[in-house]
Amino acid sequence: MSRALSLARVIAVLAGGALLAGASTTTAGALGGGHGDEGSGTGSHDGAGVLSAEATATEIVVTGDTGGDGGNLEPLDTSWTPPVCWYEPWLTAQEFADAVEAMAAENGRANRALNINSPHEAFTDIYRDNNPEDWAYNLDSRYAMRGYDNYNLDAEEDGLWWRPVINPNREDEYRAGTDCVEPIFWGDPVEVPDLDEAITDEMLAEYAYDEIDIPETEIELSPSGDQIVNLPTWIWMQAADLEPRTVRAELPINGVWAETTAEPVSLTIDAGTEDAQLFPSSGECALRDDGRIGEPWDESREGEDPPCGLTYLRSTHGTGPYELTASLTWEVYWTGSQTEGRNPLPGGTFETTQTIVVEESQTIVR
């Protein structure tokens, strides 16, 4: 997005009264005094009606293996999640000044923190006239009572205005008044402000983790179709279905970026019943040097156990079909503009299931 388009978008939103989105919750959280302020979710308005922008409207640009028909990785470390929210650089001093003055001309309202919705007077008092004392603030906020002179236009070349954004993939996890409590603030465009939630290349990498599109786990079976009791089933995946997946997340306004890559490392088979023998016994088939997992059956392998596969020991008559689960494990790492080298992220899995009918015996078609 060009800076001109970005400014046009922001001014159009502010003219309707919304500088930042209202969050999905309606409670203001732990606030100190102030007048005319309301909790988030109350909307923004002017004489023309209610307009709003999303709290999840980020300037991050995502490219690469994303937005397909597959799914997302489930982290193996269930205690880890990508960030719920962050602060990101947003507007120049002049852009912010034009936007606020446009809102004031419309007698509008906007969110200056994710959980504080304010009349336009709060913006002109705090960001133009250096008079923050009369307005509400989050009690744990570092920038709570900081005021500014004339939108910092005299420092135009030294910084940008930053804002809080809720991760669009984690909106339901956001806690108003607890997560990303800072209001809009002035900061260096590249040197990250000293806030835990100020966005870095590592946070971009974690955001990209959620954006990686993982294709369906396509396994091949021999014999195909119905399986036979006591006959080994060979399972494999072709190298073409095991290509790495990479997503790049970038903030064009300051050039900070990260690339997150997921590479398949193993396939785990669950037969869907205890009446089966797995090959190998762990059910985990490693990626081979030739890029495949497992091997196709051919006549020369008759009588051998498969390097990846299983043998069903009981038919499905009387029990109903089995659910065969194939879970592909991916190793994940990232590189970025601010951090050297290749850095790990929690590995993830993506699984698919298929219905298996097992017959006592029949003509075998490999």
Side-chain angles (χ1 to χ4, degrees):
M1 179 184 297
S2 70
R3 301 299 298 139
L5 288 174
S6 177
L7 175 58
R9 174 180 61 77
V10 172
I11 290 179
V13 170
L14 285 183
L19 178 61
L20 276 175
S24 58
T25 54
T26 57
T27 56
L31 298 181
H35 62 270
D37 290 313
E38 301 172 358
S40 64
T42 54
S44 305
H45 58 81
D46 57 19
V50 177
L51 298 174
S52 65
E54 295 295 330
T56 55
T58 176
E59 298 293 328
I60 297 172
V61 175
V62 175
T63 55
D65 296 315
T66 186
D69 296 328
N72 302 113
L73 288 174
E74 289 292 331
L76 293 171
D77 180 355
T78 57
S79 66
W80 179 86
T81 61
V84 172
C85 59
W86 56 77
Y87 305 104
E88 64 182 50
W90 178 37
L91 294 176
T92 67
Q94 187 63 60
E95 288 170 344
F96 185 56
D98 291 345
V100 172
E101 293 298 327
M103 178 181 64
E106 295 290 335
N107 196 33
R109 302 183 63 91
N111 280 15
R112 55 189 169 87
L114 288 175
N115 64 321
I116 304 177
N117 184 270
S118 302
H120 65 86
E121 292 92 345
F123 287 86
T124 52
D125 278 3
I126 295 168
Y127 297 107
R128 185 187 67 191
D129 302 332
N130 200 355
N131 181 30
E133 287 78 11
D134 292 337
W135 300 101
Y137 59 90
N138 287 301
L139 297 178
D140 294 329
S141 168
R142 178 176 303 180
Y143 293 92
M145 298 303 294
R146 184 168 300 185
Y148 304 87
D149 292 316
N150 198 26
Y151 307 109
N152 266 11
L153 288 171
D154 289 343
E156 175 85 24
E157 302 300 321
D158 299 327
L160 292 168
W161 289 102
W162 290 59
R163 65 170 177 175
V165 174
I166 298 173
N167 185 338
N169 299 313
R170 303 280 166 177
E171 190 171 6
D172 292 343
E173 300 170 23
Y174 169 73
R175 300 168 299 169
T178 299
D179 299 324
C180 295
V181 299
E182 300 296 341
I184 298 164
F185 64 88
W186 181 259
D188 189 279
V190 177
E191 293 297 323
V192 178
D194 186 21
L195 294 169
D196 290 341
E197 295 151 320
I199 200 158
T200 61
D201 60 350
E202 182 174 7
M203 293 177 74
L204 286 172
E206 294 171 344
Y207 175 61
Y209 188 106
D210 262 347
E211 294 289 323
I212 297 175
D213 179 69
I214 301 297
E216 295 290 328
T217 303
E218 299 284 350
I219 61 171
E220 299 190 51
L221 306 180
S222 179
S224 59
D226 292 353
Q227 302 302 299
I228 310 301
V229 171
N230 294 324
L231 178 69
T233 301
W234 290 55
I235 295 176
W236 70 95
M237 294 186 70
Q238 301 289 1
D241 297 323
L242 295 168
E243 294 291 333
R245 311 285 288 177
T246 298
V247 166
R248 181 184 178 97
E250 181 172 5
L251 275 170
I253 195 171
N254 64 357
V256 177
W257 59 268
E259 287 187 351
T260 300
T261 298
E263 295 183 347
V265 293
S266 65
L267 178 72
T268 300
I269 302 299
D270 184 334
T273 174
E274 295 182 356
D275 294 315
Q277 181 180 4
L278 301 177
F279 304 100
S281 59
S282 64
E284 183 175 353
C285 309
L287 186 74
R288 294 160 43 98
D289 291 340
D290 62 5
R292 294 187 305 186
I293 289 177
E295 298 179 41
W297 178 88
D298 64 47
E299 292 181 359
S300 68
R301 312 296 292 272
E302 187 68 47
E304 294 183 19
D305 290 335
C308 180
L310 73 166
T311 298
Y312 284 105
L313 306 177
R314 181 173 296 183
S315 76
T316 52
H317 293 302
T319 64
Y322 300 133
E323 292 295 318
L324 172 63
T325 301
S327 179
L328 196 58
T329 298
W330 299 71
E331 178 183 81
V332 187
Y333 62 89
W334 65 276
T335 58
S337 58
Q338 298 170 318
T339 306
E340 294 183 358
R342 172 170 154 165
N343 307 280
L345 283 173
T349 60
F350 189 79
E351 67 178 35
T352 56
T353 60
Q354 61 187 89
T355 300
I356 299 293
V357 174
V358 181
E359 304 286 355
E360 289 291 349
S361 64
Q362 67 178 34
T363 301
I364 300 168
V365 179
R366 287 284 195 179

